[in-house]
Structures are given as C-alpha cells and as structure tokens.
Amino acid sequence: GGPPPPRPPGRGRRSGAAGLGERTFVAIKPDGVQRHLVGEIIRRFERKGLQLVGLKLLQASEELLREHYIALRDRPFYSRLVKYMSSGPVVAMVWQGLDVVKTVRTMIGETNPAESRPGTIRGDFCVEVSKNVIHGSDSVESARQEISLWFRPEELTCWEDTAEHWIYA
Ligand code: DAT
Ligand code: MG
C-alpha cells in the first residue's frame, strides 16, 4: 500500500526524445494581454496537466521579435508582425510535459483563427490571423531556440510537480 515512490522529475523519465522533460515556448501576444486572456490561457494549460517552468511579462524589443520571427523575414507581413508584437506587453512562458510541443499547438489551433475549431484558444478567442492572441513553438528544435532567445537559464525553474503521479502512467 501507500503512495507510489517518488520519481526524479523531468528529463529522461521516458525513453525517446525528451520525454516528460520536453519543453515548449508560449507567448500571449499583446492583444491577448489587452483582452485580459492571460488567466484563461494559463488555466487551460495548467488544467491539461502541463508544468509551468518559466513565466514573465515584458514588452519585447523589435530586435528580439525580428529574431524570433526570422524564418518569416521574407513574408510581406513581417514588419507589421514585428510592430504588433512589440506594441504592448506579452506574457512569455515555458511549459513542460510529455509531447508538450504538439499538445500546445493542438490546444492553440490553426494559424488562421477562422480555421481553428471551437475549443482551441484561437478558435474560441479571436478572428484575424494578424491578431491571433498566442504563439507556440512549432517543433522541439524551434522550442529550444525560442526558449534560449527569450529566457536566461536561471529564469527557468525545475520543480517537482506533486500532481505528476496522477497525470502520468
Ligand atoms: P503560427 O503562429 O501558427 O506558428 P506562423 O509561424 O506561420 O504561424 O506565423 C507567425 C505569425 O505570423 C502568426 O501567428 C500570425 C502572423 N501571420 C502568419 N500568416 C499571416 C498572414 N497571412 N497575414 C498576417 N499575419 C500572418
Ligand atoms: Mg510559427
């Protein structure tokens, strides 16, 4: 009887990739902050069972955002995108968990809110592609790059999530 024995948290607990230690970068965009969606969005990821390991509110510089969206530099909307993203505070976060990159993208919905199903963040809270409330990394590799662009290592906290035994098999 009794509770299961404690397990080492995070990285390496599952074979393959990063397992439970996989991390993704999420940013609530200036429209999401202005529209008071911060609590609602964090609540969804928390309730899913993902672990918050980094969180800050900041007004990002155009320089940071140009780098963040460097892959889109040749798109016609690139400068508008950088201006919009730097137009007010954003909430930058790092979330951790099994398959977290894919899970967060699924919960966010499609790039175009009109193609996002109800129940997703973009499906529920926005209508325009250029004001789509939230960013989430699209791969484990871009998550790694974005986390290191937005956070210093000491800003990320490794903590034992006591709910883990009830979330993972
Ligand atoms: P996502 O944010 O779903 O990863 P993306 O990486 O292709 O989408 O583009 C980054 C952001 O750029 C997106 O969230 C909103 C903006 N964007 C994309 N396509 C756009 C378009 N056709 N017009 C205006 N903004 C666009
Ligand atoms: Mg993207």
Side-chain angles (χ1 to χ4, degrees), residues 118-130:
T120 64
I121 293 166
R122 286 171 178 165
D124 287 347
F125 299 124
C126 54
V127 293
E128 286 250 33
V129 69
S130 57

Side-chain angles (χ1 to χ4, degrees), residues 1-168:
R7 295 184 283 223
R11 197 169 291 275
R13 252 206 55 220
R14 287 279 165 90
S15 58
L20 306 198
E22 184 172 308
R23 289 177 170 183
T24 195
F25 174 72
V26 173
I28 304 175
K29 297 180 178 184
D31 50 322
V33 174
Q34 294 291 348
R35 294 179 53 212
H36 307 164
L37 294 172
V38 172
E40 168 68 31
I41 289 168
I42 290 177
R43 177 172 175 267
R44 289 184 178 211
F45 295 138
E46 257 194 319
R47 285 165 39 136
K48 175 68 174 173
L50 306 179
Q51 186 182 17
L52 183 61
V53 297
L55 172 70
K56 59 183 172 184
L57 177 105
L58 73 158
Q59 184 141 2
S61 67
E62 292 195 19
E63 185 190 10
L64 172 67
L65 290 160
R66 277 195 295 270
E67 179 63 26
H68 173 77
Y69 281 126
I70 194 75
L72 300 173
R73 67 186 173 282
D74 296 327
R75 306 296 290 275
F77 55 82
Y78 178 67
S79 350
R80 251 178 302 133
L81 175 62
V82 166
K83 282 255 160 11
Y84 146 66
M85 286 293 290
S86 61
S87 67
V90 299
V91 174
M93 297 178 276
V94 177
W95 289 89
Q96 181 171 308
L98 186 66
D99 285 327
V100 70
V101 171
K102 185 178 173 207
T103 298
V104 164
R105 291 284 290 193
T106 302
M107 292 174 72
I108 287 175
E110 302 301 317
T111 302
N112 184 352
E115 287 159 15
S116 301
R117 305 173 81 89
T120 64
I121 293 166
R122 286 171 178 165
D124 287 347
F125 299 124
C126 54
V127 293
E128 286 250 33
V129 69
S130 57
K131 290 204 168 59
N132 64 4
V133 169
I134 185 168
H135 166 85
S137 307
D138 65 6
S139 68
V140 171
E141 177 53 25
S142 55
R144 201 189 52 73
Q145 285 173 15
E146 290 169 6
I147 290 166
S148 66
L149 180 65
W150 287 80
F151 285 90
R152 294 190 303 273
E154 63 270 24
E155 291 180 303
L156 302 177
T157 304
C158 198
W159 55 285
E160 189 191 357
D161 189 340
T162 58
E164 191 181 291
H165 303 301
W166 302 101
I167 293 167
Y168 294 106

